[in-house]
Amino acid sequence: MTTSTETAKHYVPEDLPTHIRHYINGEFVDSVGGKTFDVLDPVSNRNYATAAAGQKEDIDLAVAAAREAFTNGPWPKMKPRERARILNRIADAVEAQEARLAELETFDTGLPITQAKGQALRAAENFRFFADLIVAQFDDAMKVPGSQINYVNRKPIGVAGLITPWNTPFMLESWKLAPALATGNTVVLKPAEFTPLSASLWAQIFKDAGLPDGVFNLVNGLGEEAGDALVKHPDVPLISFTGETTTGQTIFRNAAANLKGLSMELGGKSPCVVFADADLDAAVDSALFGVFSLNGERCTAGSRILVERAIYDEFCEKYAARAKNIVVGDPHDPKTQVGALVHPEHYEKVASYVEIGKSEGRLLAGGGRPEGLPEGNYIAPTVFADVAPDARIFQEEIFGPVVAITPFENDDEALALANNTKYGLAAYIWTQNLTRAHNFSQNVEAGMVWLNSHNVRDLRTPFGGVKASGLGHEGGYRSIDFYTDQQAVHITLGTVHTPKFGA
């Protein structure tokens, strides 16, 4: 049975804000019209603060500040080393606040504290990485001796609109903020309305690091209000969005009128494929962590586990036994492995899929609220076996601690099952056969593949998906490409030879 931690206490960090404001042109401000929305914590589901609810007029002010800072401010014109120094100071500040950041992130999202701590360090590393990258960046030059030279001039594009999700929000904000700022753009950040707490910390971090006013602006609010206004704003040429696919489709439509640059990392229903020759214990470890870490609220979750028939029963038995022992409870307790889902709305969505799964698969573990946790957005790690490929829990993104296990007979069937969804973000493949591993990875419809490993990733590699899982890639030089214009400059060396029309 899934174990739970003590429920008597509800940890509340000290010095919590009771009101979260926008940050525009170096100042904390409320919405022009005074609108607010409530912010709750996922353990008690009680409101602990209000947040300014951005509307079109608030986005207009933020974009105007960002545009002024881009057009007339020093940031885009700074030498890369000067910007890099500020980015490294930002990283220093994030690392210095690791404990506080993790505490607030856990309180706001319900993520286990041990997993939230790692997010702060990863956020700092994103800033250090892009500080290094822009100093080392060089552009191409092509020449024909004695005839011509052509070179590429990279330029920041302008105001980047960044729309971020509520799962590991602080770290995922850093994925966008670091490259956008490193390349000389100014930004307007619209964080997820469920989790605005940690995003509010960026303002002071940036100010203390010496980022000029107007370069970073933050507008809280609902996606259909603040987010929609940011996407449609004619002075925002770039939108980077991480979130679910339906919202991504709406952004795609709304960005079309102004032909905006788009980078979108969307939903996933990633396969974890386990062949009979795999290191079974390692595969079980990875397949458990891959769907139950971060409360299952992770885009790259391997939530469809495909297992070769020869080891299917053994795998299911081991997997279910481990899932039943996962510690669910107070997110601030270091023993907790699965905390509370982010919001009651999301809890109801995941709980509804658990009920659907009971008619679509054989329930091996979980199946509802854990014992001893009568309040809060808790769902026990839930395992369904014998799930058909047309089942909803096989096809649809649940974004919670719920997994579907399906058997396969051979390599061809495994590949067909792996590719049998509209999504294509990640894939995990477990086999000792090197030829199979590489052939399978190259044929699976996924933007990222992990072979006999779990989520190890070099920041230089592209991050993104195919099909309904995204548009474009970021990470490393792909981020530099997205946040800059590449202007080709051509020069003739020597006599200009042009046809003399009309001579």
Side-chain angles (χ1 to χ4, degrees), residues 32-331:
V32 172
K35 288 192 69 173
T36 64
F37 62 94
D38 292 329
V39 186
L40 54 77
D41 80 85
V43 172
S44 71
N45 281 331
R46 290 191 289 269
N47 296 327
Y48 71 87
T50 57
Q55 309 296 303
K56 181 180 182 300
E57 55 266 32
D58 304 298
I59 290 292
D60 288 345
L61 288 174
V63 173
R67 184 68 200 172
E68 173 65 19
F70 182 79
T71 304
N72 297 316
W75 186 250
K77 305 173 185 68
M78 283 185 182
K79 292 181 173 61
R81 177 67 72 187
E82 293 174 317
R83 287 203 297 267
R85 288 192 182 102
I86 292 176
L87 295 179
N88 276 309
R89 288 201 291 268
I90 292 167
D92 291 341
V94 171
E95 287 181 344
Q97 298 182 52
E98 180 198 2
R100 176 65 171 170
L101 288 168
E103 178 184 50
L104 295 181
E105 197 84 310
T106 290
F107 179 78
D108 206 27
T109 65
L111 294 178
I113 186 68
T114 53
Q115 296 167 41
K117 284 181 178 177
Q119 305 305 316
L121 294 178
R122 288 180 66 190
E125 180 58 26
N126 284 324
F127 279 91
R128 295 205 193 283
F129 174 81
F130 283 103
D132 291 341
L133 199 61
I134 57 164
V135 172
Q137 168 72 38
F138 62 91
D139 294 320
D140 296 326
M142 290 69 64
K143 59 185 179 180
V144 179
S147 176
Q148 64 178 337
I149 185 168
N150 312 269
Y151 68 89
V152 176
N153 175 38
R154 282 186 185 270
K155 304 192 295 184
I157 294 175
V159 180
L162 312 178
I163 304 175
T164 51
W166 45 255
N167 60 323
T168 63
F170 191 83
M171 191 276 292
L172 291 179
E173 286 152 11
S174 76
W175 273 16
K176 301 180 187 300
L177 287 166
L181 295 174
T183 47
N185 297 282
T186 58
V187 303
V188 177
L189 170 65
K190 206 299 283 184
E193 56 264 33
F194 285 173
T195 55
L197 181 58
S198 62
S200 66
L201 300 176
W202 286 116
Q204 197 63 48
I205 289 172
F206 288 150
K207 184 177 278 288
D208 292 345
L211 194 72
D213 290 344
V215 174
F216 167 76
N217 303 274
L218 182 153
V219 178
N220 295 294
L222 307 184
E224 57 268 31
E225 296 174 350
D228 184 66
L230 184 59
V231 168
K232 292 177 178 175
H233 201 291
D235 288 336
V236 180
L238 289 176
I239 296 290
S240 178
F241 169 73
T242 298
E244 56 94 26
T245 298
T246 302
T247 304
Q249 292 169 327
T250 301
I251 289 173
F252 196 112
R253 286 191 294 269
N254 289 339
N258 291 298
L259 298 175
K260 295 177 186 281
L262 290 175
S263 176
M264 298 196 291
E265 190 253 291
L266 306 177
K269 193 71 178 177
S270 300
C272 175
V273 186
V274 184
F275 288 93
D277 66 344
D279 180 334
L280 188 58
D281 290 335
V284 168
D285 288 343
S286 177
L288 282 160
F289 186 83
V291 75
F292 296 130
S293 60
L294 306 181
N295 300 345
E297 298 163 326
R298 56 184 306 158
C299 54
T300 56
S303 54
R304 294 182 299 133
I305 304 179
L306 313 176
V307 184
E308 193 165 3
R309 178 70 72 180
I311 59 166
Y312 183 74
D313 291 340
E314 182 184 3
F315 181 94
C316 288
E317 182 180 352
K318 288 186 173 185
Y319 192 90
R322 290 274 298 279
K324 292 174 183 178
N325 285 331
I326 290 174
V327 179
V328 183
D330 177 10

Side-chain angles (χ1 to χ4, degrees), residues 275-279 411 429-441 451-452:
F275 288 93
D277 66 344
D279 180 334
D411 291 32
I429 301 164
W430 290 87
T431 178
Q432 298 299 318
N433 185 317
L434 187 63
T435 300
R436 168 197 282 155
H438 287 285
N439 284 329
F440 198 99
S441 68
L451 299 178
N452 298 321

